[in-house]
Amino acid sequence: MKRNLFSLLLTLAGLSASAQQIIPYSYSQYQKLNKSLYSKDTRFHTSLRPTIGDDTTIVRQLDSLSMIGTDRVRNPWATRKLFNEHLVEINKEDFSVYLDFLPDFQIGRDTEHKITTWLNTRGYQVGGTIGKKFSFYTSGFENQSRFNNYLTNYINSIGVIPGMVNDKFGANKNTKDWAYATAVVNFTPNKFFSFTLGHDKNFVGDGYRSMLLSDVSASYPFFKIVTTLGNVKYMTMWAQFQDPLSQQFSYDNGFRKKWGAFHYLDWNVNNRLSLGFFDSIIWQDADATGKRGFDVSYLNPVIFLRTVEGMNGSPDNALIGFTGKYKLLNNLTVYGQWAIDEFTAKEVFSNKGYWGNKFAYQLGVKGFDAFKVAGLNYLAEFNMARPFTYSQRTSLLNYGNYAEALAHPMGANFREVLTIWNYQYNKWAFSAQANYARYGLDNGQNVGKDINEPYDTRTGQYGYKTGGGLKTNFMYLDGRVSYVLNPKYNLRLELGGIYRQEKNSLSNDKTTMVTFGLRSTFRNIYQDF
């Protein structure tokens, strides 16, 4: 069964069955794989994404979509290229390559603020394999856009397009202009080891959000080693992040840098139960005098990072976490995460709201064939982060990258519940999402929501409750209907609607908008915050 599913996956990508394929991560696409990944009859490592595809890891269940309208004999070349194939596709015995043009053209209307929105993106993707052990993938995008009101305000506040790069035009213009690219090269010498060098994003967890490591922030350079031993998969990664909020040493040096080291062990105890153990360290790059930089103490791929940080007597930012999933029913899986930034047991049980009790957790359910409807995938999830979680003395040490969170996009000091559903019938795709959150905004004092604010600017030691500060209610509704033109790169016509409300005692900001466009790619673009 594993081999058959993987063969179908490679057919979708246009690669030979002997190669290792790089599978870019997109939550909406991965959710369609629920039936393969979360059935009690399978045992996959589902919490480490994106994945390098082989018959012992994540595989896709998109065979029915990839075959729709395929007729290589009778369909003319132009029809096949538009609806069924990559723009360029070469498959030889010792190498394979594909290339696509990736458009994302949208127009919409923010009716509450009377703004006509638009997006003009021209992109590309190139992927392939060399022999049986090397694979590569790269993509690039040139973009101009007029965003709705709340996204424009967000971009102007930090100078960064969500999940991408800095805004070229700056806060003085409503039109935004940016470009970004990703690139990944993988070497898999045998069934035990996989080495990946890339400039991209990573994700740890089984949910839509991750409280440990998510794909919310911009892409970053990393080197990753993944070891597979039976039912255990172990990841070690070193990465470099940027901090545009800190003052630059000089124009030539660019944005200030910081480093991260990450370990994650995922153990499939049996077909139903999986447990995971996570740790990370963030430390700032060289200061103005040129000291420190990359710390070789964190090079050991199997050592417990928190212990080394303590032995060094260093001021670095350590975080540990745990993950778990249990397939309660054949089509229902319970999953969760626990992240601990700082923890003082006596203060937790004293119930005084000590600021230094910095932790977050997640609990969710997900599955497939809801209400006995084949292909109806679902997720329901609860997330919570205490005040000051992920924050540090400076943004150069916090758990963030490019002014955004490495974990949850809301930062900290919040509770959130959300649900996501999707369904596909032939080439018609339907999705629906609803988020509700309560959080505390800063109102003249640091209450621990903004992870870029130094935690030593707080006004006290006690009295910090989750949601404290300017109490704010958040609601987000998103519905989309798509007609898939070419499943190879998710080329589709898409009609979407969004309703967002952020309400507190000082303001009531609403956004109601409709969008329509010709879209492609499998990338995540978050706007539900």
Side-chain angles (χ1 to χ4, degrees), residues 482-524:
S482 304
Y483 183 78
V484 179
L485 299 173
N486 191 323
K488 292 287 188 177
Y489 51 100
N490 201 21
L491 181 67
R492 64 201 186 275
L493 294 171
E494 182 180 272
L495 176 66
I498 293 173
Y499 175 80
R500 177 188 183 273
Q501 182 183 35
E502 187 180 42
K503 183 179 180 180
N504 54 47
S505 61
L506 298 181
S507 66
N508 183 11
D509 182 54
K510 294 182 181 179
T511 299
T512 304
M513 63 182 301
V514 176
T515 60
F516 178 76
L518 175 66
R519 313 196 63 191
S520 64
T521 82
F522 301 102
R523 58 183 177 152
N524 286 335

Side-chain angles (χ1 to χ4, degrees), residues 6 9 20-26 30 33 37 45-54 56-60 135 184 186 194 196 201-203 224 226 233:
F6 183 59
L9 169 60
Q20 302 294 308
Q21 184 199 354
I22 297 172
I23 309 171
Y25 175 60
S26 164
Y30 272 55
L33 315 181
L37 304 182
H45 296 279
T46 58
S47 58
L48 188 58
R49 312 172 191 179
T51 185
I52 307 299
D54 61 30
T56 62
T57 60
I58 296 178
V59 294
R60 293 192 176 186
S135 56
V184 179
N186 174 260
S194 176
T196 305
K201 305 181 182 185
N202 294 271
F203 190 100
K224 180 166 61 176
V226 176
K233 187 177 287 289

